[in-house]
């Protein structure tokens, strides 16, 4: 399981350099602002280590470290002070504030990463501690959700779940914690179907002491008698259930992708639930189905030798994803954008530099696209050398920023090693999802019209 560090620093160059160094060692890094709401970030990200600058706007590094170390749940996470300061008094106040390490920024990034790995191994944050953090975030948001539209908040919370192809236990815990804010189950089970030897049934026994027979009944229901049952979350039980019939509320969902079963969600409650909670059950199933399908496609494409998890190599793959995403986003009124990108001068370059050069260039562009996109985004290159870029849950502002970045990088001469007189030109037509199309085929036809507008206009990017 990849480790994660949270970098809190107001210097963007220092953040970028540190993040790059951690990435080269297979460590995930996220960054955050210096403010008093840092605990909510930690509850959400559950890092294995925090890298903290000292000289930042109020509250500053020392105060933030004291906030982290005084909280009952976040104090287990080790903190390294990473600062340009290097006097003994600076180190004294760093350790006095609760820091577990101190690295001067003049030292090499290699030393920062090595010290970080050492402290992560010496002071590991257990899965149980991470689960408690995620559970606490649910409690802290409980009153907040009551003052808003619960369905909108539910969709927003599900959209905040990342790491779709990461550690399965952490993903399941995040899903459990979101669901429990809106649907007060006594027992929940999630299963992401894998091969027969590795499939696990992941349980949250939040308020229920559950007998062994319950687990066996669930395994029999989904016909996975050899699957391993794993309890990820368990509190002091308020109720006992010896069999499934002891639960008064039972929702059992099978999640499918075309004809393949890709997972299950079971939600059981001993108490009767409110009408509002029951109304949200279908939305919960719909949102989890979305996450399961995205994970399924990512894991499926990863299984292909040399495949990039966001690049799909067949027309069938892309049609299936687009058809589903089109329908899902339309039903849930969520923003979706499909963009067609054309490398205008690719055919001429192939004549001048040869097919091998163009293959290398296209590979570079594919890697660049993959790096620029987010979880839940996909790319596909068709036979006409048009790249289709599908951006899910993306508003127009994010689409424009992403496409501007992509064009600037592709047209940068440093990417291409071309002669001085040669240049690469990109044309992109993008269309935000609306109600004017009957199906995803009409949606695609309309995007070709927007691409034609970009081809014949003065702008490299046209977004409608």
């Amino acid at each position: 399981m990849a480790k994660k560090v949270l970098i809190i620093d107001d210097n963007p160059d220092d953040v970028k350099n540190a993040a790059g160094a951690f990435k080269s060692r297979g460590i995930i890094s996220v960054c955050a602002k210096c403010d008093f709401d840092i605990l909510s970030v930690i509850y959400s990200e559950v890092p294995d280590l925090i890298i903290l600058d000292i000289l930042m706007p109020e509250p500053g590094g020392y105060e933030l470290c004291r906030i982290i170390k005084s909280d009952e749940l976040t104090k287990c996470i080790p903190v390294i002070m990473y600062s340009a300061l290097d006097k003994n008094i600076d180190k004294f106040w760093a350790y006095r504030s609760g820091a577990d390490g101190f690295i001067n920024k003049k030292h090499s990034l290699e030393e920062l990463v090595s010290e970080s790995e050492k402290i992560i191994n010496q002071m590991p944050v257990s899965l149980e501690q991470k689960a408690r953090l995620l559970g606490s975030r649910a409690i802290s948001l409980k009153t907040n959700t009551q003052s808003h539209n619960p369905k909108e908040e539910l969709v927003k919370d599900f959209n905040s779940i990342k790491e779709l192809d990461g550690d399965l236990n952490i993903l399941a815990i995040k899903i459990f914690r979101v669901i429990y804010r809106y649907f007060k189950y006594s027992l929940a089970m999630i299963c992401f179907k894998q091969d027969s030897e590795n499939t696990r049934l992941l349980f949250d026994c939040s308020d229920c002491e559950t007998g062994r027979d319950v687990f066996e009944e669930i395994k029999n229901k989904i016909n996975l008698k050899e699957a391993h049952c794993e309890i990820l979350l368990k509190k002091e039980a308020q109720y006992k259930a010896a069999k499934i019939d002891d639960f008064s509320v039972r929702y059992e969902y099978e999640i499918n992708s075309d004809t393949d079963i890709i997972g299950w969600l079971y939600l059981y409650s001993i108490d009767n639930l409110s009408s509002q909670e029951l109304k949200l059950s279908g939305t919960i199933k719909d949102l989890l189905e979305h996450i399961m399908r995205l994970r399924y496609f990512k894991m499926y494409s990863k299984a292909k030798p040399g495949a990039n998890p966001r690049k799909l190599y067949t027309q069938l793959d892309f049609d299936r994803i687009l058809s589903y995403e089109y329908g899902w986003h339309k039903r849930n009124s969520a923003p979706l954008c499909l963009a067609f990108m054309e490398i205008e001068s690719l055919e001429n370059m192939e004549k001048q530099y040869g097919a091998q050069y163009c293959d290398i260039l296209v590979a570079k562009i594919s890697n660049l696209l993959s790096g620029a996109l987010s979880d839940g985004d996909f790319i596909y290159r068709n036979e006409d050398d048009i790249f289709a870029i599908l951006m899910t849950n993306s508003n127009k502002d994010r689409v424009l920023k992403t496409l501007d970045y992509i064009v600037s990088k592709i047209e940068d001469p440093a990417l291409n090693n071309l002669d001085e007189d040669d240049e690469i030109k990109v044309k992109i037509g993008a269309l935000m999802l609306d109600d004017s199309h009957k199906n995803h085929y009409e949606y695609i036809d309309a995007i070709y019209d927007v691409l034609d507008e970009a081809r014949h206009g003065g702008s490299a990017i046209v977004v409608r």
Side-chain angles (χ1 to χ4, degrees), residues 191 194-201 212 215-216 218-230:
C191 177
Q194 301 179 73
D195 58 84
S196 56
E197 295 181 359
N198 296 315
T199 298
R200 290 177 290 158
L201 277 58
R212 183 183 181 88
F215 298 129
E216 293 301 320
I218 292 175
K219 286 166 68 173
N220 289 334
K221 273 178 172 286
I222 61 179
N223 198 24
L224 287 175
K225 297 179 182 179
E226 303 302 319
H228 176 64
C229 295
E230 188 171 343

Side-chain angles (χ1 to χ4, degrees), residues 335-396:
L336 175 75
C337 181
L338 179 59
F340 285 169
M341 183 181 79
E342 187 175 61
I343 311 299
E344 203 175 43
S345 42
L346 198 60
E347 187 175 336
N348 291 334
M349 282 189 290
E350 184 169 351
K351 293 177 182 177
Q352 184 171 352
Y353 296 100
Q356 186 176 8
Y357 170 84
C358 285
D359 287 343
I360 294 173
L361 178 60
V362 167
K364 286 182 179 180
I365 292 172
S366 297
N367 290 333
L368 188 151
L369 288 172
S370 297
L373 300 180
S374 303
D375 283 333
D377 295 347
F378 296 91
I379 60 173
Y380 164 71
R381 181 187 171 209
N382 69 17
E383 295 176 353
D384 298 324
D385 290 327
I386 290 177
F387 287 89
I389 307 169
L390 180 64
M391 286 177 272
T392 63
N393 300 317
S394 299
N395 58 32
K396 194 169 184 178

Side-chain angles (χ1 to χ4, degrees), residues 4 10 45 47 77 80 98-99 101 123-124 128 177-178 198 211 218 221 228 269 306 372 411 416 440 454:
K4 180 193 288 187
D10 64 334
E45 296 294 344
I77 301 174
I80 290 180
M123 305 176 63
E128 180 182 356
R177 293 302 81 199
V178 168
N198 296 315
I218 292 175
K221 273 178 172 286
H228 176 64
S269 178
E411 293 186 348
N416 315 313
H440 73 282

Side-chain angles (χ1 to χ4, degrees), residues 340 382 384 386 429 431 441-455:
F340 285 169
N382 69 17
D384 298 324
I386 290 177
L431 188 62
Y441 297 110
E442 285 191 6
Y443 186 45
I444 290 174
D445 289 341
I447 297 169
Y448 274 112
D449 293 337
V450 182
L451 179 59
D452 279 337
E453 190 177 336
R455 286 167 175 161

Side-chain angles (χ1 to χ4, degrees), residues 326 330 431-439 442-443 446:
Y326 176 89
K330 204 160 188 175
L431 188 62
M432 303 298 299
L433 180 64
D434 58 31
D435 294 326
S436 62
H437 314 107
K438 295 179 181 178
N439 51 51
E442 285 191 6
Y443 186 45

Side-chain angles (χ1 to χ4, degrees), residues 261-314:
I261 299 173
I262 59 175
W264 293 267
L265 169 66
Y266 281 18
L267 298 172
Y268 294 159
S269 178
I270 288 179
D271 282 341
N272 290 321
L273 301 178
S274 68
S275 59
Q276 181 63 63
E277 288 173 297
L278 296 176
K279 284 179 183 177
L280 290 175
S281 62
T283 305
I284 289 170
K285 182 257 183 183
D286 202 22
L287 292 166
L288 180 64
E289 180 182 22
H290 186 58
I291 285 180
M292 280 195 171
R293 288 179 66 98
L294 290 178
R295 180 180 172 88
Y296 171 76
F297 284 124
K298 285 173 179 292
M299 303 306 287
Y300 167 72
S301 56
K302 269 188 172 181
K304 298 178 182 179
N308 184 295
R310 295 194 190 103
K311 183 175 181 182
L312 304 172
Y313 290 91
T314 71

